[in-house]
Amino acid sequence: MNIQTEHRPPNTGPTPYDEVYYPGHVYGLTHPNHLATIAAVYGMQSAPVEHCRVLELGCGVGGNLLPMAFQYPSSEFVGVDLSGVTIERGQRNIATLGLSNIKLLHCDIMNVDAGFGEFDYILAHGVYSWVPPAVREKMMMIFKQNLAPRGVCYVSYNAHPFSHLRDMVRDMMRYHTRRLTGMKEKVGQARAILKFLSDGSKANSVHGAVMRDQYNRVLKSPDELLFHDDLDDGAEAFLLHEVAEDASRHGLQYLGDADFSRRYLAGYSEEVRATLQRFPESEFMARDQYQDFIDGNGFRRTLLCHDSISLSRQVDLDFVTRFHLLSTTNPVDPDACVTDDSAMEFENQDGSRVTVTNPLLKAAHLCLGRAWPRALSFDELLDGARALLGDRRPDGDQKVLTEAMFILACSGEVSFLLSRPFLLKEATEHPQASLLARRQAQTGPLVTNLLHQTVQLEDDRTRDFLQLLDGARTIDQITAEMTEKFGPTIRIDQKDNAGQPAEPLLLSTRESVQRSLAMVGKLGLLVA
């Protein structure tokens, strides 16, 4: 990786991010596999995620970029950030994992130039709204200058119309805390004044409803997020069309929203659906802008590409047959009959439910849930569903499954990816968890799985268990070490369907190990 500017120091001094650490997270919609998938839906052929170059502007500690580099060793990853403290921390994490395909550079965005080369994917999450106009202009120049001909750019920002309400309470909090400097005091006083103002507003007024809604939002925000995002003096929100028009001036075009499910219009009234569907392909961005007005959208995840790319906005019914499908769906009643037309209810990880009566579709939901976190091709899903029904093969099966998966993919109930993720669901005799997750588990309960998701480990015992899954130990050896540390039986706390404490489960250590291995596999932490 030859980047001429990698040792060029920024001209500025310490940043607020040096003083108040901003936790590094993964953002699933920024993953190159996801970006390539959305591009493919609209007729683009982007670089394969297994062999690509990725640049992230404002990478922080590398919490988003490092897991990608870990997963795809034949691809190259570069991150730049103005905070030297976070870059140093990220570089230590890279060294711990022994990765050679990623560089985090202490570098001003203004210093990114042609010497960095071309990138297939450029990411800028949580930067565009929080930098001065000159830096936003430079970001657009980078998107054009450093984006490969078939590249995809992701840029997120605070959006109107919802941000008008957010900005209202930001003004109030910033005024009240204008003379404070310490993060804890500033954040504490911001929440305190907003509580006072929301409590004092009239309960039956529009203003009062907005104030209470905003107070609840602020109350739930982590301290660091509130400090850097809401209390930042320079934060600015935009309408989608403003960003798209700015991109157009630089020779870029609006590819779409990173969240494909926003295209799904089933939740709107018939009149709204009919109106939005009348927009021609040439006004795709305008359609999305009006949808933002209807939704009151407040945060945008916009994808851009070069304006020379010819895009197709027509999404055919059978587009799902070209991708790998994933879903966490599981039957609410495992004993429900699959082979008849009786209703069978399935629940996803997010708590959403769907009722299915068609036997083929019930079998398909079972296949997806049992395969998770592995992705299935459409043909694998069709064959698996048929097998559950005694290998029946009616002529209409493919059409029925295609139509159902089209709706579920468009609504976000089923995820779809161009490239199959590298992971293993079931444990081998020498089970191995992701080295990245094992390192993360040493310092906290939040780890990154191989689907670029943050998952939370149940307790300290699970964190200890994960350290033993290094690929060198057998299941018997793991059981022996867990027995030595925790004893011959392990108590598992449980909750009932209402979330209330239930009778604890007492398991032998071997049973507990088998149970934990199954859980780690379902979390997407086992590597092949």
Side-chain angles (χ1 to χ4, degrees), residues 357-402:
T357 57
N358 183 295
L360 179 71
L361 301 185
K362 290 194 286 187
H365 276 78
L366 283 173
C367 286
L368 287 169
R370 291 172 181 177
W372 175 269
R374 290 188 300 109
L376 300 176
S377 70
F378 182 85
D379 288 342
E380 288 172 336
L381 179 59
L382 179 59
D383 289 344
R386 283 171 166 169
L388 285 179
L389 300 176
D391 208 29
R392 62 165 230 181
R393 293 180 177 270
D395 293 338
D397 273 2
Q398 182 157 343
K399 182 175 183 295
V400 168
L401 188 61
T402 300

Side-chain angles (χ1 to χ4, degrees), residues 18 33 41 254:
D18 290 321
N33 197 5
V41 170
Y254 177 65

Side-chain angles (χ1 to χ4, degrees), residues 307-342:
D307 59 9
S308 58
I309 298 289
S310 178
L311 300 174
S312 172
R313 302 299 184 181
Q314 184 64 42
V315 179
D316 296 328
L317 186 69
D318 65 350
F319 90 95
V320 290
T321 63
R322 303 193 299 271
F323 298 101
H324 296 92
L325 307 172
L326 306 94
S327 177
T328 58
T329 181
N330 279 300
V332 175
D333 178 8
D335 298 323
C337 183
V338 180
T339 57
D340 62 16
D341 293 328
S342 61

Side-chain angles (χ1 to χ4, degrees), residues 16-36:
Y17 294 89
D18 290 321
E19 300 167 12
V20 178
Y21 173 59
Y22 193 92
H25 297 292
V26 293
Y27 305 102
L29 297 182
T30 70
H31 195 283
N33 197 5
H34 175 77
L35 302 183

